[in-house]
Amino acid sequence: MVWRIGNGASIRIKENKWLLDQCYRTVISPLPNIPPDAKVSSLINSTSCAWKFDVIHQNFLLHEAKIILSIPLSFRLPSDCLIWSKTPSGLFIAQSAYKLLACDASTNNTSSSNPNPQKSFWRGLWMLWIPSKMRHFVWRACNEAMSTMVNLFRCHIANTDRCMVCNAQPEDFLHAVWGCEALENVWSQLSWARSSVVIPPGDFSNLFAHFLQVADALAKKAKEGEDFKVWSEDISRDIAPLVASDVP
Ligand SMILES: [Zn+2]
C-alpha cells in the first residue's frame, strides 16, 4: 500500500510511503532542516495547488526532488488516501497480486534473459548473493542518494562540494569510492578491479554495471555458479565496511 497525495495533510514526509518509485517509497534524503513530524502538505503551495519547487530542491537529494515534483497534484486538493500500488486505479484486485507473485518468481529465475539493459542491471543487483542491506546500499549509491559532499553542498549543509581528502575534485559517490587519488592504495590490492575497467565510468552505476558484466562472464565460465558465488562473496566482503559506516 502507498499513499496517494491529495492535500498532504495526513502524510509524514519522513515516515510514510508516498513516493511513486518502483524501487522504494519512503524518503531517504537527510532533511536536517525539516522537523520529524512534518507533513507533505508543507511542501505544497495550497494557493496555487503546486509543489514548492525551491523548498524541495533545497532540501531533497536531486533524484528524490525529481520524483516528488513528478507527482501530480489535484486542483481540488482532496484528502490523502491509501491505495494499492500495483494497479493504475489504486484498487486491489486479485489478478494484480498474482502478477506481483509471478514477477517476483521471474526475478528469482536466474536462467531468464532480458533484452532491457536497465532492467537487467537492477535484476543483476537483486540477484547478487549479498545481504539486502548491501543491495539497498548499492541501489542508493547508483542513484547518488548518499551523503557525499556534492549532495551536502546541494542541500546547503556543506559550504563546498570538494572532496575533503584530496581537495581536487567534487566528491560524488564515484569519486568517493573509485576516483579519489587517496584510494590508490586500496584499489591496488584489488588489481582485478582496476585492470578490468578500460573506459572511465561516468558515474557509480556505470562502474557497478561493469562489475556485474565481469561477474556475468565469470558465472558463464563457472560450473554450477561457484565462481559467481565467490565473486559475490568477495564484493560483499569489500563493501561491508562502507555499508556499516553509511547505512543506519
Ligand atoms: Zn578526493
Side-chain angles (χ1 to χ4, degrees), residues 178-194:
W178 181 259
C180 186
E181 61 188 30
L183 297 171
E184 279 306 318
N185 286 341
V186 177
W187 285 110
S188 65
Q189 298 174 40
L190 301 167
S191 56
W192 64 268
R194 283 289 199 210

Side-chain angles (χ1 to χ4, degrees), residues 145-204:
M146 306 295 272
S147 301
T148 58
M149 292 302 293
V150 167
N151 279 334
L152 294 176
F153 181 63
R154 269 199 67 256
C155 295
H156 307 284
I157 298 172
N159 55 15
T160 177
D161 63 358
R162 296 277 124 179
C163 170
M164 296 183 74
V165 178
C166 67
N167 202 31
Q169 296 180 35
E171 186 213 60
D172 58 10
F173 194 72
L174 179 68
H175 180 85
V177 299
W178 181 259
C180 186
E181 61 188 30
L183 297 171
E184 279 306 318
N185 286 341
V186 177
W187 285 110
S188 65
Q189 298 174 40
L190 301 167
S191 56
W192 64 268
R194 283 289 199 210
S195 62
S196 72
V197 178
V198 178
I199 302 172
D203 56 28
F204 181 77

Side-chain angles (χ1 to χ4, degrees), residues 21-58:
D21 187 280
Q22 290 296 324
C23 295
Y24 77 115
R25 303 290 187 183
T26 51
V27 168
I28 58 175
S29 298
L31 304 179
N33 300 320
I34 293 183
D37 58 349
K39 303 291 179 56
V40 173
S41 54
S42 65
L43 305 175
I44 298 173
N45 184 325
S46 59
T47 305
S48 61
C49 303
W51 292 107
K52 294 179 179 176
F53 184 91
D54 291 343
V55 172
I56 291 169
H57 262 284
Q58 286 168 8

Side-chain angles (χ1 to χ4, degrees), residues 6-7 21 41 47 59 62 65 78 83 91 93 106 144 154 157-158 162 165 182 197 205 217 227 230 242-243:
N7 54 24
D21 187 280
S41 54
T47 305
N59 287 282
L62 184 59
I83 60 170
L91 299 174
I93 56 175
S106 173
E144 283 296 332
R154 269 199 67 256
I157 298 172
R162 296 277 124 179
V165 178
V197 178
S205 62
D227 283 358
V230 169
L242 292 173
V243 176

